[in-house]
Amino acid sequence: MKLIVCLDERKGMMFNNRRQSRDRVLIDNMIEMIGDDKLYIAPYSESLFENKEIKLKVKKNPLKAADENWCFIENLPVAEYKDEIETVVIYHWNRHYPGDFFFDLELDSYSLESSEELVGSSHEKITKEIWNK
């Protein structure tokens, strides 16, 4: 599986049952990266992809269904799926946001393949990292 997450500088993903932020340039970059592949998401993330040209699969727990496809996670723990996750794409907000739900996967068994900076619609700097096993 190829996992995609958005994190703040402290690995925060959510605060008070809400995403910390959203950025349309980031979503467009994600869609371009995925291309014609499928993207599995939870119902919570569906609004981010409204009116977008993408092969979207909405599942209660997309981590169980993604297999070798892409999976975007905002509000679920992922560490228990570490054996299935071959690639991790992290979009870093490069800010400290309040957080009460954090990314739980250690990247010790992954290598950083690439890193690039994006100028977002709501963030001057978003760092995109691609990690592979």
Side-chain angles (χ1 to χ4, degrees):
M1 163 186 349
K2 296 170 261 185
L3 178 70
I4 304 169
V5 295
C6 296
L7 309 177
D8 74 1
E9 291 179 336
R10 293 180 262 199
K11 294 186 178 182
M13 297 173 74
M14 304 270 298
F15 177 67
N16 200 23
N17 295 314
R18 296 180 306 171
R19 69 181 53 91
Q20 293 175 326
S21 188
R22 66 186 291 170
D23 189 284
R24 69 178 156 71
V25 171
L26 181 151
I27 297 299
D28 291 344
N29 181 273
M30 187 187 315
I31 291 169
E32 182 180 325
M33 175 182 63
I34 292 167
D36 290 331
D37 293 344
K38 293 177 189 169
L39 176 65
Y40 284 76
I41 62 170
Y44 177 81
S45 303
E46 203 168 1
S47 66
L48 295 174
F49 299 94
E50 288 177 345
N51 303 315
K52 299 289 185 181
E53 296 291 323
I54 187 168
K55 293 178 184 172
L56 203 59
K57 299 291 183 185
V58 181
K59 301 286 184 183
K60 183 176 180 180
N61 185 345
L63 292 159
K64 288 183 179 180
D67 295 323
E68 296 180 15
N69 294 290
W70 293 95
C71 187
F72 176 60
I73 297 297
E74 294 186 277
N75 59 348
L76 296 170
V78 301
E80 68 183 272
Y81 297 92
K82 66 182 178 188
D83 294 337
E84 288 85 31
I85 300 170
E86 294 296 321
T87 299
V88 180
V89 178
I90 301 173
Y91 289 94
H92 290 283
W93 294 124
N94 299 309
R95 292 190 186 163
H96 288 16
Y97 285 118
D100 56 15
F101 182 79
F102 295 88
F103 186 60
D104 64 345
L105 180 68
E106 295 298 326
L107 299 175
D108 301 6
S109 61
Y110 296 83
S111 298
L112 182 62
E113 177 187 302
S114 66
S115 179
E116 68 176 291
E117 290 186 9
L118 310 171
V119 176
S121 59
S122 61
H123 295 73
E124 291 178 20
K125 178 181 167 186
I126 299 170
T127 304
K128 175 183 176 182
E129 295 178 345
I130 300 177
W131 295 80
N132 286 312
K133 273 191 182 172

